[in-house]
Amino acid sequence: MLTSLLLLKPDEEDYWNSSKFKAFTFDDEDDEFSRLKESKQAVNSIRRLVEEDDDEDDVEKVSWSGEPVGSISWSVRETAASNQRTDREPAFPKINADTPTVSRSHSGYSLSSLFKGETGDQFSDSLSDSSVRLYAPELRKPKSEYKDYVSDWSPEETVHRMQQGKAVSLEKFRSLQDKLLLLDFSISAHDGNVITAVTLFTITFTVLFRELESRQTALRHFIHYLTETRDQRLLLELLRALGRTEDIALLQYKEHLSIADENKRRDFLKSCLSLPFSPEDSAHVQDHYTLLERQIIIEATDRQAERGGKVEIFQKFPRRASILNMPLITTLYYCCFYHYTESEGTYSSPLNVRQTFRISEKQFFVTALAARAKLKAWVDVDALFTSRNWLGFTRKKSPLGFHRVVDILQKNSAPTQVLQEYVGLVDDAELRISLAQKHKCHDIIINTYRDLKDRQQLLGYRGKVERGSVEERKINELLDNPQIRWKN
Amino acid sequence: MAHSARRDSPELPDFSLLKRLARDQLIYLLEQLPGKKDLFIEADLMSPLDRIANVSTLKQHEVDKLYKVEYKPVISTSDQLCFLIRPRIQTVKWICDVVNADKAAGKFRRYKLIFTPQKFYACEAVLEEQGIFGDVTTDEWAFYLLPLDDDIISLELPEFFRDNFLAGDQRWVRTAGSTLHLLHSIYGPFSKIYGIGRCSKMAYESWREQVEEGETKARQAEIGNVFLIDRDVDFVTPLCSQVVYEGLVDDIFRIKCGCVEFGPDVTSSDKSMKVMLNSQDKVFNEIRNEHFSNVFGFLSQKARNLQTAYDKRRGMDIKQMKTFVSEELKGLKQEHRLLSLHIGASESIMKKKTKQDFQELLKTEHSLLEGFEIRECISFIEEHINRQVSMIESLRLLCLLSITENGLLPKDYRSLKAQYLQSYGVDHLLTFANLRQLGLLVEQQPGETLTVMESKVGKLVNDKTAGKLTDAFSSLAKKSNFRALSKKLNLVPKSDEEYDLRVPRDMAYIFSGAYIPLSCKLIEQVLERDGWTGLEEVTRLLNGHEFAVTGSTAGSSGADSRAKNDAQRIVLVMFLGGCTFSEISALRFLGRERGYKFIVVTTAITNSSRLIEALLDNHV
């Protein structure tokens, strides 16, 4: 893939331009012009090209796409003012857009940093006059070289033309310095499209990977390109060369997503265990592997049990999907649903799952509650809350607020009778009343008002219950009770 | 809206021209491939294409059959295939497969690839690598801008966000620059440009270069000011639940390209209905910017008025009746239809929101924004995760917690991440890596002990004073700095004050009075100060990259001053990486208050779900 450079020879220009492209020639005059500009730039430091290349006028209107020709209103607008162009001051000032321009950038092309290592110092000395080298590298070439290229653009101009989608020739950038110079100009132009193109052209050999280290922008573009083209091999090689071990681990781990067969996936996950994850992530991947391993066993057993038709729960509640590749909590829910009473010795026992994966008490409680409520196993639900204190009294305890418990139960369509019990356990009186009203737990409301000694509220509530009902009678009894000292 | 608009508000420019330009160019490109051809359209280009052309336009230009790009072998029998696609490697690869399959079968066809809005060298590298460079012709369709409404223009490039901010790929910088260039050449010249963010700066530069390359026309500007803003300047705002009607409709039903599909529960019939949501819908136009709590009242008032209007016909004589039928009835029927639709939508929203304890969710968000009772917020999020409530929602809350708190304490981070992976799958390791890379969900580093200490000290004193401490320490801390920014810019109004949502006093109304969107507040401040002067501390907290430039052409044209004055009050705000409907509502409010008209240009409309979904990596 690396060989697919964007080398454009002059005869290939047709692909870069529409068939409408009107050929124009780069004559000597043009060369003179561009060299003039280069030297001027070298002097003026990095002032932008303000003057326009006159010849470009024709090119401008057709560009890559043969762009605006078709639309009438457009071309009218565009051509209307085409003759108005004059030399002028830039209409808007240039601002320093983050990555410094090449001339000022030390990280960008500071040569000693570029050529550190074995290619070494030989360059840094010869290039002490770097500003001249950078802005007018061509000037140092023998004049004869010029004539051989139809388009002899400086790196900066090349980048500029690429941005506009115009024809360029990259083949003259063969030396490492030239390539890197081109790369640095593309980076300072901020156009990702061009950065990627030049990076692909430049980084032909893996030996050049390290050049990317000092050019994080180009590196990101290259990585993104390799990610998009799914060139996993080269991407891994690059990351290895850069020593980005955690990225390598994650990238390889990601591959499991494209393995459909569960056994192969499990084996692959096992091979991931040795990858250089952070200690924390390493534990997560270990869990992932263990989980899938168990899911495969549970799935096989349960599928058989279901087919056998002898296990009641599978008959009553046929499984809607396989448990393979489900998250841990979904698996726990499944186990609480189908395998609740199993002893800790089996893989499918909820207690075993809880133990193996260090599931918190609250998490386990929430999941078991939801699963047992779904089955309407109210006895199990009840048992989840029961704890004995040292006197042997049982009382209900929950790691989850009781209003949440009510919510879970209600979502699993628990009958009012069951709901009532838990609504009554909500600590906050106001919340308790509002929940009780929502779920029509009359007793709780009545008792709460009684406890609050709120006669007015109780009177008001009497109007809401059915005439002649048990509730109404209860309210009346309370209101008539002389023992209660109402607060209002 | 309860308050009246400033009467001297300038008129918005006519953006329908953009559609015409795009359509004309498409037709031209189709004509480049004469004869009958089948057209394959990238799936997410279908809706934008629908907005500017219709099938008969395509048929007129010899398009025979239309297909959606589905990455499957093609069944077309046409000898000319045209592909209208985004410059995506995956799509190009698929086309390569198609061409190579034809080659293998000895089938000869002509192929044309039209990239929109531009083509990338990388795509051509793929064509070359797959050996079909030369077998296909390529073109560009410069369809940059789709006007979604009078004041909203979208680039319809949702991938801009991930490409630019997560992958650090600047491929769309030029696109953004060209977009500005297009607007500048039709509605400019702009006189002032403000901006903040790395990408904004680069887009500005790209645009400026294109201006210099091209020619300027002496014409009367319709748009005077431009504000560019990167999405990563403000992640808090798009992560909040939307409670303004339009935003809420987007959060729940997902508005796609200005159009929403209401299901049977809304239409109260057995079929779904696609509805365009824009200012043409008179009912929608009046409620779109309203806080949801006002919508019901408005709709019922409207329904009563409608009833009265219908009732008028009682006691009419034949002649009056005739006028009524010919002049009023149609409008009333139309209004009736719209009204019942939005009432249905509101009911459906209510049902969904009460079911998921929306009130409590909002309370948590507000606490996070205020930096109050953070422990309670964490346990709320934890329960959310434990109960496997929406995977996206949990992640959104985690991110909101992280940005508002400048990262999570290491023990919280570890515990919440572990629980998240347990509930939604270990695959999300990759998602967490993305979120960390983007700085959306991070743990506080040991190096930031000050932040840790400060929050501990803060906790000891009480959560409310923590804000002040952050402020004091902010010169040392980096990162999102939300707390300090919020303090500096007064983003969170004092919670003990009553906030009347029917008569909003500031942009905070879009979040029930709990928070003024940072993005919009910056715009307000910069316009007010005509630059960043006095906001040095704020820009430092935002990691810089702010700019404000004045064009030399400003004021040079001798057009009449009233028109010029109008143009100066038209502000084009460009969001790089997406903006939410809530932000648009806030800007509309600001515009009414200050006599501006805002035009929002965005790479795509976003919301919390889209933002998070763009960062998920638990799939192939």
Side-chain angles (χ1 to χ4, degrees), chain B residues 242-259:
Chain B
Q242 305 194 72
V243 284
V244 162
Y245 186 68
E246 189 166 14
L248 203 45
V249 170
D250 188 37
D251 273 1
I252 293 183
F253 303 101
R254 294 215 174 205
I255 300 174
K256 204 176 125 200
C257 216
C259 181

Side-chain angles (χ1 to χ4, degrees), chain B residues 10-115:
Chain B
E11 286 291 307
L12 285 167
D14 174 19
F15 293 117
S16 61
L17 179 64
L18 294 170
K19 292 188 186 181
R20 222 162 59 225
L21 278 179
R23 185 173 50 235
D24 288 351
Q25 207 196 351
L26 178 64
I27 290 168
Y28 169 76
L29 289 169
L30 290 174
E31 283 171 354
Q32 294 301 291
L33 190 65
K36 278 204 163 189
K37 60 226 157 215
D38 282 358
L39 183 64
F40 289 79
I41 305 169
E42 188 107 59
D44 47 358
L45 273 176
M46 309 258 281
S47 301
L49 187 60
D50 256 340
R51 299 287 169 275
I52 60 153
N54 49 36
V55 179
S56 64
T57 323
L58 298 176
K59 297 271 176 194
Q60 273 164 28
H61 297 88
E62 299 183 276
V63 170
D64 191 18
K65 293 198 183 70
L66 284 165
Y67 298 94
K68 189 160 88 177
V69 169
E70 286 177 308
Y71 307 111
K72 289 191 294 213
V74 306
I75 38 159
S76 161
T77 52
S78 175
D79 57 359
Q80 297 201 98
L81 304 184
C82 190
F83 301 89
L84 193 57
I85 55 171
R86 289 279 185 222
R88 292 183 191 135
I89 291 197
Q90 197 198 2
T91 313
V92 175
K93 273 194 163 173
W94 167 74
I95 294 171
C96 290
D97 292 345
V98 170
V99 176
N100 280 325
D102 281 355
K103 271 189 189 173
K107 203 182 282 175
F108 178 79
R109 298 199 232 231
R110 292 181 67 185
Y111 311 92
K112 187 180 188 67
L113 276 57
I114 302 175
F115 293 97

Side-chain angles (χ1 to χ4, degrees), chain B residues 443-501:
Chain B
E443 65 184 294
Q444 292 165 0
Q445 294 304 308
E448 292 170 68
T449 35
L450 253 185
T451 330
V452 179
M453 189 193 81
E454 149 216 332
S455 66
K456 275 193 184 130
V457 173
K459 297 254 152 51
L460 284 179
V461 188
N462 95 27
D463 273 307
K464 283 215 168 181
T465 47
K468 284 198 190 94
L469 285 161
T470 314
D471 218 347
F473 288 134
S474 62
S475 54
L476 293 151
K478 299 185 248 166
K479 298 285 166 161
S480 83
N481 301 318
F482 177 76
R483 207 66 73 212
L485 281 165
S486 160
K487 202 90 190 168
K488 267 245 121 40
L489 291 167
N490 262 322
L491 298 181
V492 177
K494 288 192 190 72
S495 57
D496 43 6
E497 281 172 37
E498 275 290 307
Y499 198 102
D500 187 352
L501 291 167

